């Protein structure tokens, strides 16, 4: 069975640009959450989507947005990139909400130059 | 954002030794999860705990959900080289279903030959 898949695995962007990251959850899972992990820290919660609706939002600026599609895959969008947005972006899949076991993808390493 | 207090930050041990790490918070949690993360990878779920006082094992790993619901510990018995990595605790805040998981800063486990 395929686990959580994220694309791309790495990318480099310039300050001010926009980026879209993609995630496919485990088959049968209906909830997707996004986390940002900077070097040396634990992941920080960005968004949670369940059944295509936003169910939670962390303390991130409006430059960050996301959506979930009918097939439960998800996109994370970041506008007007800053150097500080450089991080590993992780997608987590769970059967329902974040209170159940969350399984992570391998992440997308974003570098902003 | 809020993070759990995870200790120790790093551990240097000999192969075969037992390992213990813990997480504490001033807030009450409904769920405690323990993850292991290898370089360049996403966190891998090791153990999930759902009830205060619960003690759960997964092979050589044992974790407990503190009875105050504000702490959890993870023990690894008879460590082996593949145990090297960063271990994270994560929790779901009580009443915080929309807030995703809160992570500790990680315990870096290093095994000396």
């Amino acid at each position: 069975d395929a686990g959580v898949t994220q694309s791309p695995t790495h990318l480099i962007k310039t300050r001010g640009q926009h980026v879209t990251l993609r995630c496919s959850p485990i088959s049968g899972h209906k909830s997707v959450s996004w986390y940002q992990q900077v070097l040396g820290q634990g992941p920080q919660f960005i968004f949670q989507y369940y059944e295509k609706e936003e169910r939670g939002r962390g303390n991130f600026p409006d430059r960050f947005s996301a959506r979930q599609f009918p097939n439960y895959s998800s996109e994370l969008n970041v506008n007007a990139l800053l150097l500080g947005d450089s991080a590993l972006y992780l997608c987590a899949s769970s059967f329902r909400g974040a209170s159940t076991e969350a399984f992570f993808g391998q992440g997308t390493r974003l570098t902003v130059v | 954002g809020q993070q759990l207090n995870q200790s120790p930050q790093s551990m240097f041990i000999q192969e075969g030794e037992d390992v213990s790490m813990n997480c504490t918070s001033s807030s009450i949690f409904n769920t405690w999860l323990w993850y292991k993360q290898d370089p360049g990878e996403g966190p891998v779920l090791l153990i999930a705990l759902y009830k205060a006082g619960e003690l759960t094992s997964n092979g050589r790993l044992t974790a407990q959900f503190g009875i105050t619901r504000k702490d959890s510990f993870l023990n690894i018995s008879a460590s082996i080289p593949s145990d090297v990595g960063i271990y994270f605790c994560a929790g779901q805040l009580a009443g915080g279903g929309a807030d995703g998981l809160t992570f500790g800063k990680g315990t870096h486990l290093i095994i000396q030959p």
Side-chain angles (χ1 to χ4, degrees), chain B residues 28-51:
Chain B
I28 292 174
F29 285 80
N30 283 335
T31 302
W32 284 96
L33 305 169
W34 285 91
Y35 290 88
K36 178 176 183 279
Q37 187 173 28
D38 292 328
E41 302 290 330
V44 174
L45 181 63
L46 301 173
I47 291 179
L49 302 158
Y50 296 102
K51 293 197 302 188

Side-chain angles (χ1 to χ4, degrees), chain B residues 51-62:
Chain B
K51 293 197 302 188
E54 181 180 355
L55 184 70
T56 298
S57 293
N58 178 8
R60 294 178 296 105
L61 278 60
T62 302

Side-chain angles (χ1 to χ4, degrees), chain B residues 12-19 60 77-84 109-113:
Chain B
F12 295 80
I13 64 168
Q14 301 284 337
E15 184 177 350
E17 287 186 8
D18 295 343
V19 171
R60 294 178 296 105
S77 62
S79 58
I80 60 178
S82 62
D83 292 334
V84 166
L109 181 61
I110 300 163
I111 299 179
Q112 299 170 322

Side-chain angles (χ1 to χ4, degrees), chain A residues 41-59:
Chain A
Q41 300 290 321
Q44 292 280 338
F45 172 67
I46 309 176
F47 286 110
Q48 184 203 356
Y49 277 77
Y50 175 60
E51 288 283 15
K52 302 178 284 295
E53 292 187 2
E54 182 183 306
R55 296 301 180 98
R57 173 185 286 254
N59 188 25

